[in-house]
Amino acid sequence: MIKYGFLGLGIMGNAMAANLIGADLDVTVWNRTKAKCMPLVEQGASLGASPGEVTTQCDITFAMVSDPAAATSLFFDTGGVLDGMGPGKAYIDVSTVDPATSQRIAEAVKAKGGRFLEAPVTGSKKPAEDGTLVFLCSGDESLFQDASPALAIMGKKSFFFNQTGQGAQMKLVVNMIMGTMMTAFGEGLALGDKTGLTATDILDVLAQGPIDNPMFRLKGPQMAQNNFATAFPLRHMQKDMRLALQMADEYGQPLFTAGAANNLYIKERLAGGADEDFSAVLKAIIR
Ligand code: NAP
């Protein structure tokens, strides 16, 4: 039986690991804040002592942490994943990071004789709970095949792109579009409100037209009630906008609307909304 490790049990990692455990797989969990491991241990997971130890004990170890700094620290720090890496070991980082971070980790895994896959996800808290995420993978194709049963438990679809870094690039392109859509949506709700239109009417009209989409349908009614319960933390959305803008700079592609949207996320992050849902960017628009 394949032994799976799961490192990073935040909003996404907790739900993803729970689905692996619920499918009766052999799962060992670790999280920087140990208390978050306990509910999963009660559901049947083993408790890992460190990321390195989990990697040593498991065949395939997943990681789902905040950002490039967290992914780098988890992997390279003393007691980190690199310490447990070797032939026969496999590491799948599903965090959203920049392509350079992913490539650095990929090279270090390869140098120790292991296999690496980057597999950032689209889909938020609910799809993570429902096992309907979409994985954007690149790296070792044999690992993609070997991990497919686990990916199919956590997600509804997995893509494989040929070059390492392309999973991260795809994820940043998609989230840059999503972040910019959210600020345009927020500005529409704010302008409509000023003119005396109700949010309910605006949402009803949007739902019938060519720009109807699941994000407006899910977030719109919540935003209209000033409900910013966190599914995707605003600080992570701003991180993704920043990484997309950095990537655009490297490739010589101006991003006018994404640049403006990023400033709104920065504004709301600094105003205290970092841990609220990214839809709380509406507050920066109306403030
Ligand atoms: P989260 O709830 O903030 O969880 C972050 C996780 O990273 C926690 O387990 C945290 O540990 C860990 N962490 C942070 N810094 C660390 C470090 N230096 N060393 C070790 N662990 C560290 O975030 P999330 O929403 O689950 O998102 C995780 C990743 O998925 C992010 O890259 C995000 O952009 C991406 N993502 C999120 C969503 C979403 O809707 N939420 C959707 C798609 C992709 P502690 O518990 O100790 O703080």
Side-chain angles (χ1 to χ4, degrees):
M1 189 177 187
I2 296 177
K3 283 173 165 281
Y4 293 96
F6 210 108
L7 314 172
L9 306 171
I11 294 170
M12 298 296 282
N14 176 66
M16 295 166 76
N19 280 334
L20 295 181
I21 298 161
D24 284 332
L25 300 187
D26 181 329
V27 183
T28 300
V29 295
W30 176 90
N31 191 65
R32 182 181 60 177
T33 307
K34 196 175 162 186
K36 291 188 192 167
C37 296
M38 295 317 168
L40 294 172
V41 169
E42 276 163 28
Q43 289 166 44
S46 303
L47 181 63
S50 68
E53 195 213 69
V54 173
T55 311
T56 305
Q57 286 175 357
C58 299
D59 305 299
I60 298 179
T61 299
F62 289 93
M64 183 48 133
V65 293
S66 311
D67 54 21
T72 301
S73 159
L74 183 76
F75 186 85
F76 288 104
D77 282 2
T78 306
V81 172
L82 186 59
D83 285 355
M85 187 46 65
K89 300 294 165 198
Y91 186 50
I92 304 183
D93 195 343
V94 295
S95 321
T96 305
V97 299
D98 56 307
T101 297
S102 195
Q103 270 154 359
R104 220 184 128 207
I105 292 174
E107 278 158 27
V109 170
K110 238 193 233 168
K112 282 209 134 181
R115 295 183 296 164
F116 177 72
L117 193 71
E118 64 181 31
V121 301
T122 70
S124 192
K125 186 178 179 209
K126 181 84 170 45
E129 288 166 354
D130 294 347
T132 55
L133 295 168
V134 175
F135 290 92
L136 308 172
C137 309
S138 53
D140 190 306
E141 195 163 4
S142 73
L143 176 54
F144 176 68
Q145 301 301 344
D146 291 350
S148 287
L151 298 181
I153 289 165
M154 297 184 284
K156 64 178 179 185
K157 170 100 185 153
S158 296
F159 290 89
F160 184 81
F161 308 108
N162 281 328
Q163 285 173 26
T164 304
Q166 284 186 325
Q169 288 167 339
M170 181 65 81
K171 174 64 189 169
L172 294 180
V173 166
V174 169
N175 267 29
M176 183 270 286
I177 295 170
M178 185 172 81
T180 308
M181 271 173 68
M182 177 54 85
T183 56
F185 184 46
E187 288 184 351
L189 292 177
L191 176 61
D193 185 57
K194 286 259 161 71
T195 65
L197 294 169
T198 70
T200 308
D201 285 344
I202 295 170
L203 297 176
D204 281 351
V205 172
L206 284 174
Q208 297 304 320
I211 58 167
D212 178 35
N213 68 76
M215 184 176 85
F216 291 176
R217 265 181 270 133
L218 175 72
K219 300 285 182 188
Q222 295 172 0
M223 291 163 72
Q225 301 291 318
N226 285 323
N227 173 359
F228 304 109
T230 311
F232 181 30
L234 183 137
R235 66 191 154 86
H236 292 337
M237 182 76 253
Q238 197 271 310
K239 172 258 304 182
D240 293 351
M241 297 302 283
R242 179 176 70 244
L243 296 178
L245 286 161
Q246 278 168 8
M247 187 168 81
D249 193 357
E250 281 163 31
Y251 283 84
Q253 176 59 55
L255 298 179
F256 297 99
T257 50
N262 182 44
N263 281 325
L264 283 165
Y265 289 106
I266 293 174
K267 188 178 167 197
E268 188 51 31
R269 197 194 73 205
L270 297 176
D275 291 322
E276 289 193 284
D277 190 67
F278 79 113
S279 53
V281 75
L282 177 65
K283 291 199 263 182
I285 293 166
I286 58 182
R287 191 177 289 118

